[in-house]
Amino acid sequence: MAHTERRDAPGLPDFSLLKRLARDQLIFLLEQLPGKKDLFIDADLMSPLDRIANVTILKQHEVDKLYKVELKPIVSSSDQLCFLIRPRIQTVKWISDLVNSDKVAGRFRRYKIIFTPQKFYACETVLEEQGVYGDVTTDEWNFYILPLDDDILSLELPEFFRDNFLEGDQRWVTTAGSALHLLQSVYGSFSKVYGIGRCAKMVYESWRELMEEGEQRTRQPEFAKVFLIDRDVDFVTPLCSQVVYEGLVDDIFRIKCGSVEFGPDVTSSDKSIKVMLNSQDKVFDEIRNEHFSNVFGFLSQKAKNLQTAYDKRRGMDIQQMKAFVADELKGLKQEHRLLSLHIGASESMMKKKTKQDFQELLKTEHSLLEGFEIRECITHIEEHINRQVSMIDSLRLLCLLSITENGLLSKDYKSLKAQYLQSYGIEHLLTFANLRQLGLLEEQQAGETLTVMESKVGKLVTDKTVGKLTDAFSSLAKKSNFRALSKRLALVPKSGEEYDLRVPRDMAYVFSGAYIPLSCKLIEQVMERDGWTGLEEVARMLNGQEFAVTEARNKTDAQRIVLVMFLGGCTYSEISALQFLGKERGCRFIVVTTAITNSARTKSAYKNDF
């Protein structure tokens, strides 16, 4: 395969401790409401909760029935109601209405609200305003981090991006700081903290405050270096189509909280199967970071090896057969089941992703990244929109065009916007407003790209020629930050170079050799320099707010384990790129993210959800 683990790679901390801590605290909170009770759970907490404390554990602690919070009248007959919710005003109002309805009906119940990961003052204010503050007990379940795999941790806060970067709501900053504090408390102090972005700086300061308030730990750290990075430092990477196996599985089947549900088209039966995708699945673990073009070859070889292992049974005597059944057969059957599922998934993805539309999409993305044939790219985007190939992909291409070209020319912006609204509905005016506010889809202001030379030349030629010259001078007069960053950091390999995806030479393989994720390249450069020295211009183009702080001096193996926290989400492509970098450098990267985003979804930035 493309790359294997170095023998001298450091071991990883045991993150199952985080699950045990979360489970024990939840059990303690449930037991504070003794007796049988019904538990109402926020929809987006159901999957994380299942990873921490399944139904069996909840039943052992007198949870009678479980319901999903649906913001409508309830049917529970229990005298004790417990609500496990995110700190959202709408949900608190719904609970207040339930309590007040019971009061009107003359019914007495006990109510307990468990906010996670923390409760906010605004929620308590709602309880007070609704007149139920004295009828409800509240508590916090400090569930900050969910380990999705040996080296992937998630805060499971998909709303972090919208709240912080679009609405300017910084309430989750303290949650991210608390997550860092938890990691430091359990696994030892950090020696060096690097970061870039306004939110990253606030999270660092929040973590420092918590550290100064708490006890100072002297134990040896299990990892020492930390990198904090804001999502808006690199918007280009999540806008590009994913082509590593795990990324494609997420794009098509939607990985939710580390698991995926494969339908009948994959299972070759009339049933769907839910599968955990982590390093325990040995087949998946070997292909998850591979470019999709390499996956079928590996699965084919794996199938042959499996058949050879089964064929060993021939000619065995009774004792050998007994040993084979006891030691190997169960493992072979499990591997066979997983292999069948991943072959089915690959075939399903192949049908969807090898179509001409997808190939044209990749070609357009690569052209935009390289800055070539922009007019042809705009024509393709127009065709994509007018044929209604994909609402989200059309939006992604528009945003990628805008960022790589530092905004759209006014005539292009108005034309593309009008075509999009005609194809997908006038209600997407809000989508464009949100994207503009985020800086993802902008219109160049009139006159900002005109040069003195252009105006002089314009007087000597016809109006038609002036139009063409305007386009040409526009691209020359105002170079985008992305183009400058791309050149400075060598993000786009030189065109015409051969790139062997079977033996990748750098992180660009996660985008078919066309682009190295800016976020990952930045991390690589800062780690090499042990700070921002020599990267001052790059940091300036990324709006600064960079920092590098030495917290303690450590000379242990932990120095080779780097924790990277993405604030606002990350993609599987970035995780794969960092895994590749770690294997090349003999270190290990642990990814902590507020949520794992889907490049084909752009969900938290779309329409009312952006």
Side-chain angles (χ1 to χ4, degrees):
M1 298 302 287
H3 39 267
T4 56
E5 198 72 66
R6 280 173 46 157
R7 291 182 181 179
D8 63 342
L12 291 170
D14 178 12
F15 291 119
S16 64
L17 289 172
L18 300 174
K19 285 187 183 181
R20 292 206 292 274
L21 286 170
R23 181 169 61 245
D24 291 347
Q25 191 195 11
L26 179 61
I27 289 168
F28 173 76
L29 294 172
L30 290 173
E31 287 179 344
Q32 288 189 331
L33 192 64
K36 286 194 172 184
K37 51 202 160 271
D38 285 355
L39 180 62
F40 290 80
I41 309 167
D42 252 342
D44 59 352
L45 282 173
M46 297 191 85
S47 292
L49 180 63
D50 191 47
R51 297 285 300 266
I52 299 295
N54 57 29
V55 174
T56 304
I57 292 173
L58 295 175
K59 295 282 186 183
Q60 288 170 358
H61 297 278
E62 299 187 284
V63 172
D64 188 23
K65 294 177 182 176
L66 285 87
Y67 299 93
K68 182 167 70 173
V69 170
E70 295 181 312
L71 305 182
K72 63 183 184 181
I74 63 171
V75 294
S76 172
S77 58
S78 176
D79 290 331
Q80 296 197 116
L81 303 181
C82 188
F83 302 89
L84 182 62
I85 63 169
R86 294 290 193 199
R88 297 182 181 122
I89 289 175
Q90 185 183 21
T91 312
V92 176
K93 282 183 177 177
W94 169 73
I95 295 171
S96 300
D97 290 343
L98 293 180
V99 176
N100 284 323
S101 294
D102 283 348
K103 281 183 181 180
V104 171
R107 175 161 194 177
F108 173 78
R109 299 199 230 213
R110 294 180 68 189
Y111 311 93
K112 182 180 181 70
I113 303 176
I114 301 174
F115 293 103
T116 186
Q118 63 195 81
K119 61 182 174 183
F120 294 130
Y121 173 74
C123 294
E124 293 186 312
T125 302
V126 170
L127 293 173
E128 217 171 322
E129 290 172 348
Q130 299 296 315
V132 299
Y133 189 79
D135 302 298
V136 176
T137 58
T138 63
D139 225 320
E140 288 182 329
W141 180 33
N142 302 133
F143 170 44
Y144 295 120
I145 304 176
L146 176 66
L148 298 179
D149 207 346
D150 295 341
D151 52 7
I152 304 174
L153 312 175
S154 175
L155 277 66
E156 291 299 300
L157 289 174
E159 60 263 57
F160 188 105
F161 179 83
R162 177 190 172 93
D163 288 351
N164 189 81
F165 295 101
L166 178 63
E167 297 183 349
D169 185 343
Q170 297 161 7
R171 59 181 175 161
W172 298 117
V173 166
T174 54
T175 304
S178 297
L180 275 181
H181 187 249
L182 174 63
L183 289 169
Q184 181 222 17
S185 301
V186 177
Y187 300 102
S189 58
F190 311 137
S191 63
K192 195 98 175 194
V193 181
Y194 314 93
I196 184 165
R198 182 166 172 266
C199 184
K201 204 157 193 174
M202 289 191 293
V203 168
Y204 169 74
E205 289 167 356
S206 173
W207 165 68
R208 282 292 304 175
E209 286 177 13
L210 289 169
M211 191 177 73
E212 288 166 8
E213 291 171 7
E215 297 179 15
Q216 295 296 318
R217 301 184 65 90
T218 57
R219 56 166 290 184
Q220 284 287 351
E222 294 187 49
F223 47 80
K225 294 185 178 180
V226 179
F227 197 106
L228 310 177
I229 183 168
D230 284 11
R231 181 68 276 168
D232 64 355
V233 167
D234 174 18
F235 275 144
V236 170
T237 298
L239 290 171
C240 295
S241 297
Q242 301 193 88
V243 287
V244 291
Y245 181 75
E246 189 169 14
L248 276 171
V249 171
D250 188 36
D251 281 352
I252 294 172
F253 301 104
R254 303 292 185 258
I255 299 174
K256 189 175 182 181
C257 210
S259 66
V260 66
E261 189 168 314
F262 289 133
D265 59 324
V266 172
T267 62
S268 300
S269 66
D270 56 352
K271 294 181 180 179
S272 295
I273 297 177
K274 191 174 182 180
V275 180
M276 292 295 298
L277 295 179
N278 54 36
S279 55
Q280 300 303 309
D281 179 341
K282 299 303 179 186
V283 177
F284 172 73
D285 194 43
E286 292 190 65
I287 60 174
R288 64 191 306 174
N289 297 321
E290 292 297 324
H291 190 277
F292 190 62
S293 61
N294 299 332
V295 170
F296 267 113
F298 170 80
L299 293 176
S300 176
Q301 185 59 49
K302 195 79 174 174
K304 291 177 183 175
N305 295 342
L306 197 61
Q307 187 60 52
T308 302
Y310 271 120
D311 290 342
K312 286 197 309 184
R313 294 174 297 176
R314 296 173 184 172
M316 286 184 178
D317 58 32
I318 293 177
Q319 288 300 320
Q320 289 172 326
M321 182 62 75
K322 187 176 179 181
F324 175 80
V325 171
D327 302 333
E328 296 183 51
L329 189 58
K330 186 178 179 181
L332 289 173
K333 284 184 176 180
Q334 173 72 355
E335 192 173 349
H336 182 268
R337 184 182 74 85
L338 293 170
L339 184 61
S340 298
L341 283 173
H342 289 297
I343 289 173
S346 297
E347 288 175 341
S348 179
M349 289 190 289
M350 183 71 80
K351 290 174 185 175
K352 295 170 183 174
K353 292 298 187 182
T354 55
K355 291 179 180 177
Q356 185 179 356
D357 285 332
F358 183 64
Q359 297 303 316
E360 287 294 323
L361 177 69
L362 290 180
K363 182 181 175 183
T364 302
E365 286 179 9
H366 295 173
S367 294
L368 291 173
L369 292 167
E370 293 170 5
F372 294 148
E373 301 178 335
I374 300 303
R375 277 292 136 198
E376 286 80 353
C377 291
I378 291 173
T379 300
H380 172 72
I381 294 171
E382 288 176 328
E383 290 176 0
H384 205 273
I385 292 170
N386 296 328
R387 287 172 51 220
Q388 298 183 329
V389 176
S390 165
M391 181 165 32
I392 294 295
D393 284 346
S394 296
L395 205 58
R396 284 199 304 109
L397 287 172
L398 286 172
C399 292
L400 193 59
L401 171 65
S402 175
I403 293 174
T404 55
E405 292 298 301
N406 205 23
L408 277 65
L409 294 174
S410 184
K411 64 184 182 69
D412 290 330
Y413 180 85
K414 289 172 182 174
S415 172
L416 289 164
K417 180 180 178 181
Q419 291 177 67
Y420 191 92
L421 295 175
Q422 287 169 0
S423 282
Y424 300 117
I426 198 70
E427 66 271 18
H428 292 287
L429 273 169
L430 179 58
T431 305
F432 278 80
N434 288 341
L435 291 169
R436 189 165 192 165
Q437 187 173 331
L438 282 162
L440 278 166
L441 185 52
E442 295 184 291
E443 176 185 6
Q444 291 179 1
Q445 296 306 307
E448 68 178 355
T449 58
L450 296 178
T451 65
V452 176
M453 179 64 73
E454 181 186 12
S455 61
K456 287 180 180 178
V457 173
K459 294 174 184 177
L460 304 176
V461 292
T462 64
D463 288 343
K464 187 174 181 180
T465 310
V466 170
K468 292 180 179 178
L469 281 171
T470 300
D471 286 354
F473 276 95
S474 294
S475 60
L476 291 172
K478 186 174 181 181
K479 293 182 179 179
S480 71
N481 279 350
F482 175 76
R483 293 276 173 257
L485 286 165
S486 179
K487 186 176 180 180
R488 183 69 184 264
L489 296 173
L491 300 179
V492 178
K494 294 177 182 177
S495 57
E497 286 186 359
E498 288 290 328
Y499 199 100
D500 188 351
L501 292 169
R502 291 170 298 180
V503 189
R505 60 176 179 264
D506 53 33
M507 292 182 285
Y509 90 93
V510 300
F511 291 117
S512 303
Y515 167 66
I516 297 173
L518 170 57
S519 55
C520 301
K521 187 70 173 181
L522 202 59
I523 292 165
E524 177 193 33
Q525 292 295 305
V526 172
M527 296 302 172
E528 275 186 5
R529 291 169 166 78
D530 195 24
W532 294 93
T533 304
L535 293 171
E536 292 86 358
E537 187 183 346
V538 168
R540 181 182 55 77
M541 287 188 282
L542 293 169
N543 298 320
Q545 302 285 341
E546 76 280 6
F547 59 93
V549 184
T550 300
E551 297 289 339
R553 298 289 180 186
N554 290 308
K555 291 188 177 180
T556 67
D557 202 41
Q559 293 291 336
R560 295 162 57 214
I561 300 180
V562 182
L563 187 145
V564 178
M565 177 179 264
F566 288 91
L567 298 161
C570 75
T571 65
Y572 285 108
S573 297
E574 287 168 305
I575 295 173
S576 295
L578 289 176
Q579 300 294 1
F580 175 87
L581 180 62
K583 288 170 182 176
E584 288 287 293
R585 302 296 172 90
C587 62
R588 297 291 291 271
F589 283 93
I590 297 168
V591 173
V592 184
T593 177
T594 51
I596 297 182
T597 59
N598 182 306
S599 68
R601 263 181 261 180
T602 17
K603 185 177 179 183
S604 59
Y606 169 63
K607 209 177 168 184
N608 293 331
D609 294 329
F610 204 131

